[in-house]
Amino acid sequence: MLKTRLLAAAAALALVATAMTGCAAAGNSGGDKVVTLKFWSWAPGSAEEVAAFNKTHPNIKVVHTDAGGGDQSAAKLLTAVRAGNAPDVAAIENTSLPRLIVAGVPMDITQYVSDVKDKFAPGTWAGTTFDGHTYGVPQDVGPMALLYRYDIFKQYGIDTPPVTWQEYKDDAAKIKAQNPKLVMANITTDGWGWYASVAAQAGDQWWTVKNNVWTVNINGAGSRKMMDFFQGMYNEGLIGTDPILSPTYNQQLNDGTMLSWPSAVWAPGVIFGVAPSTAGKWQLSPLPRWSADNPKVSFQGGSSVAVIKGSKHPKEAAEFAKWQNATEAGAKLILNVANGYPAALSGQKIATEQKPPALMPQQTDYYQVAADIAKDTSAVIWGPNTDVAQSAFTDAMNSAVQNKTSWADALAITQKAVFDDLKKKGFKVKQG
């Protein structure tokens, strides 16, 4: 997940720069016999969460292993399932979930978790449900939001954050006219997941599935319009494409020449990790929208906890996943120990009582703004071959930027690569 990689990288750079009320155990079908569950998770604080669960559930013992995050974790899970030595339960990044579902890694746990569906916003729950079947309990989410240098905005005559993407562009042009050295943001060429999320905000899901048929709509009209829009900003010098957390990117954060980051509510920790001297100068606001009267935004980043195929104790494994992610006790640990933004509505409510992130101590309503944003989120549907999309999109975008050709055409190239790959692998697939 982007969040996982960025937070880890930010923490490393910072080091260099400085030298849920528990579920009753009575539901355990094993009576007095202790059921042991193996749990894989890379998330910070997982060991503390397991300890808290074990203390309140004497008939279930969870044993935690850090198996690494991202593609590494997904690959290990798949190998373990095929070898017959997989864990009972595991954290899975939402971008990897569809790939693992079609590979038979997570179990369909609809029967075990439907009782906590109302603990989550519909858009959050939809991220773990495919074709009517639920494969995980949402853990943390990244509702998309805008971080911006409100001090510099105000310096150049902009007192309120932009509501629409057109206002975002207009504000960038207004600032640029007064100081050509400034850029509004860097939107990197390898940010395929970011573009997919903003396309979903515009109404285009790059993948959808119904009755076991996958529809690929990467080259949709809304997505092409989005690409043309950001290429227009780039051509006018309003945004750059430097990679996130590259030396240039970090320098721009520190010297105030990059004024915003359209990202998600987890982003303050990343910026604080590489530019702590800018604390107190940033503000969070809703992500700009394509239509002023439609506040819906998508997610960037997020993970879920799934019961893994082959587990001999799926009911108990699901009970652990529900306690960890759908109770107030679990949500508090996600928020305060794992430093994530809880997927559960109760956790988001608890967050409003927290102090704001270190990056913006002056924004006392930070978590209330985040909670308001989270109410208007819709799921991004990821497909079973996101790795193919990532590779094709990045290559096509790098070529478009270097050769000054159409960014939108990168979508057509990615669409073909993803569609052909699904067809080759035997999926039922159609063009969007």
Side-chain angles (χ1 to χ4, degrees), residues 195 198-206 215-230 290 406-409 411-412 415 431-432:
Y195 281 105
V198 179
Q201 182 195 28
D204 277 2
Q205 291 285 356
W206 285 8
T215 299
V216 181
N217 189 38
I218 297 171
N219 196 35
S223 299
R224 293 188 67 89
K225 181 179 179 180
M226 168 194 69
M227 297 297 282
D228 287 341
F229 177 84
F230 288 112
W290 295 108
S406 168
W407 289 18
D409 286 350
L411 297 175
Q415 168 94 14
Q431 304 277 3

Side-chain angles (χ1 to χ4, degrees), residues 1 69-76 93 95-96 99 386-387 390:
M1 176 169 63
D71 293 336
Q72 177 188 16
S73 177
K76 284 183 178 179
E93 294 180 0
T95 51
S96 299
R99 274 191 290 149
T386 51
D387 52 337
Q390 179 178 9

Side-chain angles (χ1 to χ4, degrees), residues 146-161:
L146 179 70
L147 268 70
Y148 68 101
R149 284 289 300 267
Y150 80 96
D151 60 326
I152 299 178
F153 271 46
K154 185 167 275 191
Q155 179 184 341
Y156 290 100
I158 300 171
D159 294 323
T160 58

Side-chain angles (χ1 to χ4, degrees), residues 192 206-207 218 385-395 414 417-418:
W192 75 277
W206 285 8
W207 291 268
I218 297 171
N385 57 347
T386 51
D387 52 337
V388 173
Q390 179 178 9
S391 177
F393 182 89
T394 301
D395 289 347
T414 307
V418 169

Side-chain angles (χ1 to χ4, degrees), residues 35-246:
V35 169
T36 298
L37 304 174
K38 293 188 293 182
F39 171 49
W40 285 9
S41 175
W42 68 88
S46 294
E48 290 88 340
E49 292 168 356
V50 165
F53 177 84
N54 287 342
K55 188 178 294 185
T56 56
H57 294 70
N59 289 350
I60 304 176
K61 179 183 178 182
V62 180
V63 179
H64 168 247
T65 298
D66 185 345
D71 293 336
Q72 177 188 16
S73 177
K76 284 183 178 179
L77 270 176
L78 180 57
T79 299
V81 167
R82 290 173 175 172
N85 59 4
D88 297 273
V89 62
I92 297 176
E93 294 180 0
N94 290 343
T95 51
S96 299
L97 188 58
R99 274 191 290 149
L100 293 179
I101 290 171
V102 299
V105 173
M107 294 175 58
D108 178 351
I109 55 173
T110 307
Q111 64 175 314
Y112 300 119
V113 301
S114 58
D115 59 323
V116 297
K117 180 179 178 180
D118 62 352
K119 303 292 185 182
F120 303 85
T124 301
W125 193 258
T128 61
T129 300
F130 296 83
D131 229 359
H133 301 275
T134 300
Y135 293 90
V137 181
Q139 182 164 87
D140 65 278
V141 290
M144 295 191 77
L146 179 70
L147 268 70
Y148 68 101
R149 284 289 300 267
Y150 80 96
D151 60 326
I152 299 178
F153 271 46
K154 185 167 275 191
Q155 179 184 341
Y156 290 100
I158 300 171
D159 294 323
T160 58
V163 173
T164 66
W165 284 112
Q166 185 58 53
E167 289 177 14
Y168 182 75
K169 182 179 180 180
D170 292 344
D171 288 347
K174 181 177 180 179
I175 294 171
K176 189 81 172 180
Q178 299 174 72
N179 188 341
K181 294 181 180 180
L182 305 184
V183 294
M184 194 61 135
N186 275 294
I187 301 178
T188 180
T189 54
D190 65 356
W192 75 277
W194 185 89
Y195 281 105
S197 296
V198 179
Q201 182 195 28
D204 277 2
Q205 291 285 356
W206 285 8
W207 291 268
T208 52
V209 59
K210 186 176 183 180
N211 298 327
N212 249 2
V213 178
W214 285 92
T215 299
V216 181
N217 189 38
I218 297 171
N219 196 35
S223 299
R224 293 188 67 89
K225 181 179 179 180
M226 168 194 69
M227 297 297 282
D228 287 341
F229 177 84
F230 288 112
Q231 183 170 17
M233 289 192 70
Y234 177 76
N235 290 343
E236 293 175 32
L238 304 179
I239 61 172
T241 57
D242 288 306
I244 291 174
L245 297 185
S246 65

Side-chain angles (χ1 to χ4, degrees), residues 311-334:
S311 173
K312 296 179 181 179
H313 308 286
K315 181 180 178 181
E316 290 80 8
E319 185 176 342
F320 169 64
K322 290 193 293 184
W323 178 90
Q324 188 184 27
N325 303 307
T327 70
E328 288 190 12
K332 286 179 180 178
L333 289 167
I334 292 170

